[in-house]
PDB file of all heavy atoms in Angstrom:
ATOM      1  N   GLY A1324      93.324  79.005  80.127  1.00 85.00           N
ATOM      2  CA  GLY A1324      94.603  79.649  79.898  1.00 85.00           C
ATOM      3  C   GLY A1324      94.496  81.036  79.294  1.00 85.00           C
ATOM      4  O   GLY A1324      95.487  81.750  79.204  1.00 85.00           O
ATOM      5  N   ILE A1325      93.283  81.373  78.873  1.00 86.00           N
ATOM      6  CA  ILE A1325      93.042  82.728  78.282  1.00 86.00           C
ATOM      7  C   ILE A1325      93.039  83.761  79.403  1.00 86.00           C
ATOM      8  O   ILE A1325      92.492  83.532  80.492  1.00 86.00           O
ATOM      9  CB  ILE A1325      91.696  82.760  77.528  1.00 86.00           C
ATOM     10  CG1 ILE A1325      91.774  81.819  76.316  1.00 86.00           C
ATOM     11  CG2 ILE A1325      91.355  84.185  77.068  1.00 86.00           C
ATOM     12  CD1 ILE A1325      90.460  81.656  75.586  1.00 86.00           C
ATOM     13  N   GLU A1326      93.666  84.904  79.162  1.00 88.00           N
ATOM     14  CA  GLU A1326      93.659  85.998  80.105  1.00 88.00           C
ATOM     15  C   GLU A1326      92.594  87.001  79.706  1.00 88.00           C
ATOM     16  O   GLU A1326      92.657  87.573  78.597  1.00 88.00           O
ATOM     17  CB  GLU A1326      95.039  86.678  80.147  1.00 88.00           C
ATOM     18  CG  GLU A1326      96.119  85.790  80.736  1.00 88.00           C
ATOM     19  CD  GLU A1326      97.465  86.463  80.753  1.00 88.00           C
ATOM     20  OE1 GLU A1326      97.761  87.255  79.851  1.00 88.00           O
ATOM     21  OE2 GLU A1326      98.237  86.207  81.696  1.00 88.00           O
ATOM     22  N   GLU A1327      91.633  87.219  80.559  1.00 88.00           N
ATOM     23  CA  GLU A1327      90.492  88.096  80.243  1.00 88.00           C
ATOM     24  C   GLU A1327      90.507  89.317  81.164  1.00 88.00           C
ATOM     25  O   GLU A1327      90.498  89.170  82.394  1.00 88.00           O
ATOM     26  CB  GLU A1327      89.177  87.336  80.404  1.00 88.00           C
ATOM     27  CG  GLU A1327      87.949  88.102  79.951  1.00 88.00           C
ATOM     28  CD  GLU A1327      87.931  88.442  78.447  1.00 88.00           C
ATOM     29  OE1 GLU A1327      88.557  87.677  77.651  1.00 88.00           O
ATOM     30  OE2 GLU A1327      87.313  89.461  78.080  1.00 88.00           O
ATOM     31  N   PRO A1328      90.506  90.529  80.601  1.00 89.00           N
ATOM     32  CA  PRO A1328      90.512  91.717  81.462  1.00 89.00           C
ATOM     33  C   PRO A1328      89.167  91.858  82.183  1.00 89.00           C
ATOM     34  O   PRO A1328      88.101  91.645  81.586  1.00 89.00           O
ATOM     35  CB  PRO A1328      90.724  92.873  80.492  1.00 89.00           C
ATOM     36  CG  PRO A1328      90.381  92.339  79.151  1.00 89.00           C
ATOM     37  CD  PRO A1328      90.631  90.877  79.183  1.00 89.00           C
ATOM     38  N   PHE A1329      89.230  92.167  83.478  1.00 91.00           N
ATOM     39  CA  PHE A1329      87.986  92.374  84.228  1.00 91.00           C
ATOM     40  C   PHE A1329      87.955  93.741  84.909  1.00 91.00           C
ATOM     41  O   PHE A1329      86.911  94.165  85.403  1.00 91.00           O
ATOM     42  CB  PHE A1329      87.797  91.255  85.262  1.00 91.00           C
ATOM     43  CG  PHE A1329      88.813  91.208  86.378  1.00 91.00           C
ATOM     44  CD1 PHE A1329      88.595  91.871  87.567  1.00 91.00           C
ATOM     45  CD2 PHE A1329      90.000  90.519  86.187  1.00 91.00           C
ATOM     46  CE1 PHE A1329      89.547  91.823  88.591  1.00 91.00           C
ATOM     47  CE2 PHE A1329      90.953  90.446  87.204  1.00 91.00           C
ATOM     48  CZ  PHE A1329      90.733  91.103  88.412  1.00 91.00           C
ATOM     49  N   CYS A1330      89.075  94.427  84.969  1.00 94.00           N
ATOM     50  CA  CYS A1330      89.142  95.757  85.571  1.00 94.00           C
ATOM     51  C   CYS A1330      90.287  96.526  84.939  1.00 94.00           C
ATOM     52  O   CYS A1330      91.135  95.971  84.239  1.00 94.00           O
ATOM     53  CB  CYS A1330      89.328  95.695  87.073  1.00 94.00           C
ATOM     54  SG  CYS A1330      87.780  95.656  88.012  1.00 94.00           S
ATOM     55  N   GLY A1331      90.325  97.828  85.227  1.00 94.00           N
ATOM     56  CA  GLY A1331      91.426  98.661  84.785  1.00 94.00           C
ATOM     57  C   GLY A1331      92.213  99.157  85.949  1.00 94.00           C
ATOM     58  O   GLY A1331      91.891  98.911  87.140  1.00 94.00           O
ATOM     59  N   GLY A1332      93.256  99.876  85.682  1.00 97.00           N
ATOM     60  CA  GLY A1332      94.096 100.457  86.709  1.00 97.00           C
ATOM     61  C   GLY A1332      94.953 101.562  86.109  1.00 97.00           C
ATOM     62  O   GLY A1332      94.912 101.818  84.896  1.00 97.00           O
ATOM     63  N   THR A1333      95.745 102.211  86.944  1.00 98.00           N
ATOM     64  CA  THR A1333      96.568 103.340  86.493  1.00 98.00           C
ATOM     65  C   THR A1333      97.951 103.237  87.110  1.00 98.00           C
ATOM     66  O   THR A1333      98.072 103.127  88.342  1.00 98.00           O
ATOM     67  CB  THR A1333      95.919 104.681  86.903  1.00 98.00           C
ATOM     68  OG1 THR A1333      94.568 104.662  86.512  1.00 98.00           O
ATOM     69  CG2 THR A1333      96.632 105.836  86.235  1.00 98.00           C
ATOM     70  N   LEU A1334      98.978 103.300  86.285  1.00 98.00           N
ATOM     71  CA  LEU A1334     100.350 103.286  86.786  1.00 98.00           C
ATOM     72  C   LEU A1334     100.668 104.669  87.357  1.00 98.00           C
ATOM     73  O   LEU A1334     100.648 105.669  86.650  1.00 98.00           O
ATOM     74  CB  LEU A1334     101.317 102.970  85.634  1.00 98.00           C
ATOM     75  CG  LEU A1334     102.769 102.746  86.028  1.00 98.00           C
ATOM     76  CD1 LEU A1334     102.944 101.447  86.811  1.00 98.00           C
ATOM     77  CD2 LEU A1334     103.681 102.734  84.793  1.00 98.00           C
ATOM     78  N   ILE A1335     100.942 104.702  88.683  1.00 98.00           N
ATOM     79  CA  ILE A1335     101.244 105.992  89.322  1.00 98.00           C
ATOM     80  C   ILE A1335     102.710 106.086  89.746  1.00 98.00           C
ATOM     81  O   ILE A1335     103.210 107.166  89.977  1.00 98.00           O
ATOM     82  CB  ILE A1335     100.328 106.242  90.525  1.00 98.00           C
ATOM     83  CG1 ILE A1335     100.426 105.096  91.548  1.00 98.00           C
ATOM     84  CG2 ILE A1335      98.880 106.446  90.078  1.00 98.00           C
ATOM     85  CD1 ILE A1335      99.715 105.388  92.843  1.00 98.00           C
ATOM     86  N   GLU A1336     103.379 104.951  89.837  1.00 97.00           N
ATOM     87  CA  GLU A1336     104.827 104.866  90.001  1.00 97.00           C
ATOM     88  C   GLU A1336     105.273 103.592  89.342  1.00 97.00           C
ATOM     89  O   GLU A1336     104.438 102.730  89.023  1.00 97.00           O
ATOM     90  CB  GLU A1336     105.262 104.878  91.496  1.00 97.00           C
ATOM     91  CG  GLU A1336     105.326 106.293  92.073  1.00 97.00           C
ATOM     92  CD  GLU A1336     106.173 106.370  93.329  1.00 97.00           C
ATOM     93  OE1 GLU A1336     106.797 105.352  93.720  1.00 97.00           O
ATOM     94  OE2 GLU A1336     106.201 107.441  93.936  1.00 97.00           O
ATOM     95  N   SER A1337     106.598 103.413  89.130  1.00 97.00           N
ATOM     96  CA  SER A1337     107.052 102.310  88.301  1.00 97.00           C
ATOM     97  C   SER A1337     106.609 100.940  88.791  1.00 97.00           C
ATOM     98  O   SER A1337     106.473 100.004  87.990  1.00 97.00           O
ATOM     99  CB  SER A1337     108.575 102.339  88.207  1.00 97.00           C
ATOM    100  OG  SER A1337     109.175 102.156  89.472  1.00 97.00           O
ATOM    101  N   GLN A1338     106.325 100.790  90.081  1.00 98.00           N
ATOM    102  CA  GLN A1338     105.930  99.484  90.614  1.00 98.00           C
ATOM    103  C   GLN A1338     104.566  99.500  91.260  1.00 98.00           C
ATOM    104  O   GLN A1338     104.182  98.537  91.905  1.00 98.00           O
ATOM    105  CB  GLN A1338     106.998  98.975  91.612  1.00 98.00           C
ATOM    106  CG  GLN A1338     107.037  97.472  91.750  1.00 98.00           C
ATOM    107  CD  GLN A1338     108.279  96.973  92.503  1.00 98.00           C
ATOM    108  OE1 GLN A1338     109.205  97.729  92.768  1.00 98.00           O
ATOM    109  NE2 GLN A1338     108.288  95.691  92.858  1.00 98.00           N
ATOM    110  N   TRP A1339     103.806 100.589  91.071  1.00 98.00           N
ATOM    111  CA  TRP A1339     102.518 100.701  91.735  1.00 98.00           C
ATOM    112  C   TRP A1339     101.406 101.082  90.767  1.00 98.00           C
ATOM    113  O   TRP A1339     101.570 102.030  89.986  1.00 98.00           O
ATOM    114  CB  TRP A1339     102.595 101.744  92.840  1.00 98.00           C
ATOM    115  CG  TRP A1339     103.422 101.335  94.021  1.00 98.00           C
ATOM    116  CD1 TRP A1339     104.742 101.605  94.246  1.00 98.00           C
ATOM    117  CD2 TRP A1339     103.007 100.535  95.123  1.00 98.00           C
ATOM    118  NE1 TRP A1339     105.166 101.038  95.425  1.00 98.00           N
ATOM    119  CE2 TRP A1339     104.120 100.388  95.986  1.00 98.00           C
ATOM    120  CE3 TRP A1339     101.784  99.935  95.477  1.00 98.00           C
ATOM    121  CZ2 TRP A1339     104.049  99.661  97.190  1.00 98.00           C
ATOM    122  CZ3 TRP A1339     101.697  99.232  96.669  1.00 98.00           C
ATOM    123  CH2 TRP A1339     102.823  99.080  97.498  1.00 98.00           C
ATOM    124  N   VAL A1340     100.296 100.384  90.875  1.00 98.00           N
ATOM    125  CA  VAL A1340      99.091 100.635  90.056  1.00 98.00           C
ATOM    126  C   VAL A1340      97.946 100.912  91.013  1.00 98.00           C
ATOM    127  O   VAL A1340      97.692 100.203  91.990  1.00 98.00           O
ATOM    128  CB  VAL A1340      98.788  99.389  89.187  1.00 98.00           C
ATOM    129  CG1 VAL A1340      97.400  99.504  88.584  1.00 98.00           C
ATOM    130  CG2 VAL A1340      99.820  99.241  88.067  1.00 98.00           C
ATOM    131  N   LEU A1341      97.229 101.990  90.689  1.00 98.00           N
ATOM    132  CA  LEU A1341      96.055 102.379  91.459  1.00 98.00           C
ATOM    133  C   LEU A1341      94.798 101.805  90.799  1.00 98.00           C
ATOM    134  O   LEU A1341      94.670 101.832  89.571  1.00 98.00           O
ATOM    135  CB  LEU A1341      95.966 103.904  91.494  1.00 98.00           C
ATOM    136  CG  LEU A1341      94.902 104.542  92.411  1.00 98.00           C
ATOM    137  CD1 LEU A1341      95.196 104.265  93.879  1.00 98.00           C
ATOM    138  CD2 LEU A1341      94.837 106.056  92.170  1.00 98.00           C
ATOM    139  N   THR A1342      93.877 101.268  91.604  1.00 98.00           N
ATOM    140  CA  THR A1342      92.692 100.662  91.035  1.00 98.00           C
ATOM    141  C   THR A1342      91.547 100.761  92.052  1.00 98.00           C
ATOM    142  O   THR A1342      91.686 101.441  93.069  1.00 98.00           O
ATOM    143  CB  THR A1342      92.952  99.189  90.632  1.00 98.00           C
ATOM    144  OG1 THR A1342      91.817  98.683  89.905  1.00 98.00           O
ATOM    145  CG2 THR A1342      93.234  98.292  91.834  1.00 98.00           C
ATOM    146  N   ALA A1343      90.435 100.097  91.779  1.00 96.00           N
ATOM    147  CA  ALA A1343      89.263 100.098  92.698  1.00 96.00           C
ATOM    148  C   ALA A1343      89.284  98.862  93.580  1.00 96.00           C
ATOM    149  O   ALA A1343      89.576  97.749  93.088  1.00 96.00           O
ATOM    150  CB  ALA A1343      87.981 100.158  91.884  1.00 96.00           C
ATOM    151  N   ALA A1344      88.986  99.042  94.844  1.00 96.00           N
ATOM    152  CA  ALA A1344      88.964  97.900  95.782  1.00 96.00           C
ATOM    153  C   ALA A1344      87.915  96.866  95.369  1.00 96.00           C
ATOM    154  O   ALA A1344      88.138  95.659  95.498  1.00 96.00           O
ATOM    155  CB  ALA A1344      88.715  98.408  97.188  1.00 96.00           C
ATOM    156  N   HIS A1345      86.772  97.311  94.809  1.00 94.00           N
ATOM    157  CA  HIS A1345      85.678  96.365  94.537  1.00 94.00           C
ATOM    158  C   HIS A1345      86.028  95.394  93.417  1.00 94.00           C
ATOM    159  O   HIS A1345      85.354  94.370  93.268  1.00 94.00           O
ATOM    160  CB  HIS A1345      84.392  97.113  94.221  1.00 94.00           C
ATOM    161  CG  HIS A1345      84.253  97.573  92.791  1.00 94.00           C
ATOM    162  ND1 HIS A1345      84.505  98.875  92.406  1.00 94.00           N
ATOM    163  CD2 HIS A1345      83.900  96.932  91.660  1.00 94.00           C
ATOM    164  CE1 HIS A1345      84.295  99.016  91.106  1.00 94.00           C
ATOM    165  NE2 HIS A1345      83.952  97.821  90.621  1.00 94.00           N
ATOM    166  N   CYS A1346      87.091  95.683  92.651  1.00 95.00           N
ATOM    167  CA  CYS A1346      87.507  94.739  91.624  1.00 95.00           C
ATOM    168  C   CYS A1346      87.878  93.387  92.195  1.00 95.00           C
ATOM    169  O   CYS A1346      87.830  92.370  91.489  1.00 95.00           O
ATOM    170  CB  CYS A1346      88.711  95.309  90.863  1.00 95.00           C
ATOM    171  SG  CYS A1346      88.295  96.683  89.759  1.00 95.00           S
ATOM    172  N   PHE A1347      88.242  93.365  93.481  1.00 95.00           N
ATOM    173  CA  PHE A1347      88.722  92.125  94.092  1.00 95.00           C
ATOM    174  C   PHE A1347      87.747  91.579  95.124  1.00 95.00           C
ATOM    175  O   PHE A1347      88.121  90.742  95.958  1.00 95.00           O
ATOM    176  CB  PHE A1347      90.090  92.383  94.727  1.00 95.00           C
ATOM    177  CG  PHE A1347      91.132  92.774  93.703  1.00 95.00           C
ATOM    178  CD1 PHE A1347      91.332  94.126  93.394  1.00 95.00           C
ATOM    179  CD2 PHE A1347      91.871  91.831  93.010  1.00 95.00           C
ATOM    180  CE1 PHE A1347      92.270  94.506  92.445  1.00 95.00           C
ATOM    181  CE2 PHE A1347      92.792  92.195  92.045  1.00 95.00           C
ATOM    182  CZ  PHE A1347      92.998  93.518  91.769  1.00 95.00           C
ATOM    183  N   ASP A1348      86.492  91.996  95.056  1.00 93.00           N
ATOM    184  CA  ASP A1348      85.474  91.503  96.019  1.00 93.00           C
ATOM    185  C   ASP A1348      85.338  89.995  95.967  1.00 93.00           C
ATOM    186  O   ASP A1348      85.144  89.349  97.003  1.00 93.00           O
ATOM    187  CB  ASP A1348      84.106  92.140  95.724  1.00 93.00           C
ATOM    188  CG  ASP A1348      84.002  93.561  96.230  1.00 93.00           C
ATOM    189  OD1 ASP A1348      84.915  94.007  96.940  1.00 93.00           O
ATOM    190  OD2 ASP A1348      82.979  94.220  95.911  1.00 93.00           O
ATOM    191  N   ARG A1349      85.421  89.395  94.781  1.00 89.00           N
ATOM    192  CA  ARG A1349      85.182  87.964  94.650  1.00 89.00           C
ATOM    193  C   ARG A1349      86.458  87.127  94.514  1.00 89.00           C
ATOM    194  O   ARG A1349      86.409  85.938  94.308  1.00 89.00           O
ATOM    195  CB  ARG A1349      84.320  87.718  93.387  1.00 89.00           C
ATOM    196  CG  ARG A1349      82.951  88.374  93.467  1.00 89.00           C
ATOM    197  CD  ARG A1349      82.137  88.108  92.206  1.00 89.00           C
ATOM    198  NE  ARG A1349      80.876  88.802  92.234  1.00 89.00           N
ATOM    199  CZ  ARG A1349      79.995  88.768  91.233  1.00 89.00           C
ATOM    200  NH1 ARG A1349      80.255  88.058  90.139  1.00 89.00           N
ATOM    201  NH2 ARG A1349      78.856  89.417  91.318  1.00 89.00           N
ATOM    202  N   LEU A1350      87.603  87.798  94.670  1.00 89.00           N
ATOM    203  CA  LEU A1350      88.878  87.096  94.526  1.00 89.00           C
ATOM    204  C   LEU A1350      89.567  87.025  95.851  1.00 89.00           C
ATOM    205  O   LEU A1350      89.929  88.055  96.443  1.00 89.00           O
ATOM    206  CB  LEU A1350      89.771  87.833  93.504  1.00 89.00           C
ATOM    207  CG  LEU A1350      89.428  87.676  92.027  1.00 89.00           C
ATOM    208  CD1 LEU A1350      90.303  88.563  91.203  1.00 89.00           C
ATOM    209  CD2 LEU A1350      89.571  86.226  91.574  1.00 89.00           C
ATOM    210  N   LYS A1351      89.775  85.822  96.357  1.00 82.00           N
ATOM    211  CA  LYS A1351      90.501  85.655  97.605  1.00 82.00           C
ATOM    212  C   LYS A1351      91.989  85.413  97.354  1.00 82.00           C
ATOM    213  O   LYS A1351      92.804  85.538  98.242  1.00 82.00           O
ATOM    214  CB  LYS A1351      89.902  84.478  98.390  1.00 82.00           C
ATOM    215  CG  LYS A1351      88.425  84.670  98.721  1.00 82.00           C
ATOM    216  CD  LYS A1351      87.999  83.726  99.801  1.00 82.00           C
ATOM    217  CE  LYS A1351      86.503  83.776 100.109  1.00 82.00           C
ATOM    218  NZ  LYS A1351      86.035  85.118 100.351  1.00 82.00           N
ATOM    219  N   ASP A1352      92.326  85.037  96.122  1.00 89.00           N
ATOM    220  CA  ASP A1352      93.708  84.733  95.777  1.00 89.00           C
ATOM    221  C   ASP A1352      94.053  85.481  94.495  1.00 89.00           C
ATOM    222  O   ASP A1352      93.346  85.307  93.481  1.00 89.00           O
ATOM    223  CB  ASP A1352      93.868  83.214  95.586  1.00 89.00           C
ATOM    224  CG  ASP A1352      95.281  82.822  95.203  1.00 89.00           C
ATOM    225  OD1 ASP A1352      96.174  83.666  95.288  1.00 89.00           O
ATOM    226  OD2 ASP A1352      95.468  81.649  94.801  1.00 89.00           O
ATOM    227  N   VAL A1353      95.092  86.258  94.522  1.00 94.00           N
ATOM    228  CA  VAL A1353      95.471  87.060  93.319  1.00 94.00           C
ATOM    229  C   VAL A1353      96.539  86.377  92.490  1.00 94.00           C
ATOM    230  O   VAL A1353      97.072  86.989  91.558  1.00 94.00           O
ATOM    231  CB  VAL A1353      95.894  88.471  93.694  1.00 94.00           C
ATOM    232  CG1 VAL A1353      94.774  89.229  94.362  1.00 94.00           C
ATOM    233  CG2 VAL A1353      97.142  88.433  94.604  1.00 94.00           C
ATOM    234  N   SER A1354      96.850  85.117  92.809  1.00 93.00           N
ATOM    235  CA  SER A1354      97.922  84.440  92.062  1.00 93.00           C
ATOM    236  C   SER A1354      97.542  84.235  90.585  1.00 93.00           C
ATOM    237  O   SER A1354      98.453  84.106  89.737  1.00 93.00           O
ATOM    238  CB  SER A1354      98.242  83.113  92.703  1.00 93.00           C
ATOM    239  OG  SER A1354      97.105  82.233  92.680  1.00 93.00           O
ATOM    240  N   SER A1355      96.261  84.203  90.283  1.00 93.00           N
ATOM    241  CA  SER A1355      95.819  84.035  88.888  1.00 93.00           C
ATOM    242  C   SER A1355      95.551  85.355  88.195  1.00 93.00           C
ATOM    243  O   SER A1355      95.058  85.391  87.062  1.00 93.00           O
ATOM    244  CB  SER A1355      94.545  83.162  88.829  1.00 93.00           C
ATOM    245  OG  SER A1355      93.499  83.788  89.542  1.00 93.00           O
ATOM    246  N   VAL A1356      95.889  86.456  88.842  1.00 97.00           N
ATOM    247  CA  VAL A1356      95.637  87.794  88.296  1.00 97.00           C
ATOM    248  C   VAL A1356      96.961  88.355  87.734  1.00 97.00           C
ATOM    249  O   VAL A1356      98.014  88.216  88.337  1.00 97.00           O
ATOM    250  CB  VAL A1356      95.062  88.750  89.361  1.00 97.00           C
ATOM    251  CG1 VAL A1356      94.876  90.141  88.791  1.00 97.00           C
ATOM    252  CG2 VAL A1356      93.738  88.213  89.888  1.00 97.00           C
ATOM    253  N   ARG A1357      96.884  88.980  86.575  1.00 97.00           N
ATOM    254  CA  ARG A1357      98.014  89.619  85.966  1.00 97.00           C
ATOM    255  C   ARG A1357      97.656  91.066  85.686  1.00 97.00           C
ATOM    256  O   ARG A1357      96.508  91.431  85.542  1.00 97.00           O
ATOM    257  CB  ARG A1357      98.396  88.935  84.653  1.00 97.00           C
ATOM    258  CG  ARG A1357      98.838  87.490  84.805  1.00 97.00           C
ATOM    259  CD  ARG A1357     100.222  87.422  85.481  1.00 97.00           C
ATOM    260  NE  ARG A1357     100.691  86.053  85.618  1.00 97.00           N
ATOM    261  CZ  ARG A1357     100.459  85.271  86.671  1.00 97.00           C
ATOM    262  NH1 ARG A1357      99.730  85.719  87.681  1.00 97.00           N
ATOM    263  NH2 ARG A1357     100.935  84.048  86.735  1.00 97.00           N
TER     264      ARG A1357
END
């Protein structure tokens, strides 16, 4: 249940965050990502 940061990102518009594609290399489902 602990939320652990694994990558960063940048808010570029109110509903959009820019990040690196490789952050999600091992994640097939983003439902557990916040």
Side-chain angles (χ1 to χ4, degrees):
I1325 295 173
E1326 292 179 327
E1327 186 64 28
F1329 66 93
C1330 268
T1333 311
L1334 188 69
I1335 57 172
E1336 278 200 6
S1337 63
Q1338 205 168 350
W1339 290 95
V1340 167
L1341 188 66
T1342 188
H1345 83 259
C1346 287
F1347 298 91
D1348 282 352
R1349 299 180 183 178
L1350 285 174
K1351 300 195 184 309
D1352 180 12
V1353 296
S1354 62
S1355 60
V1356 177
R1357 296 289 182 270

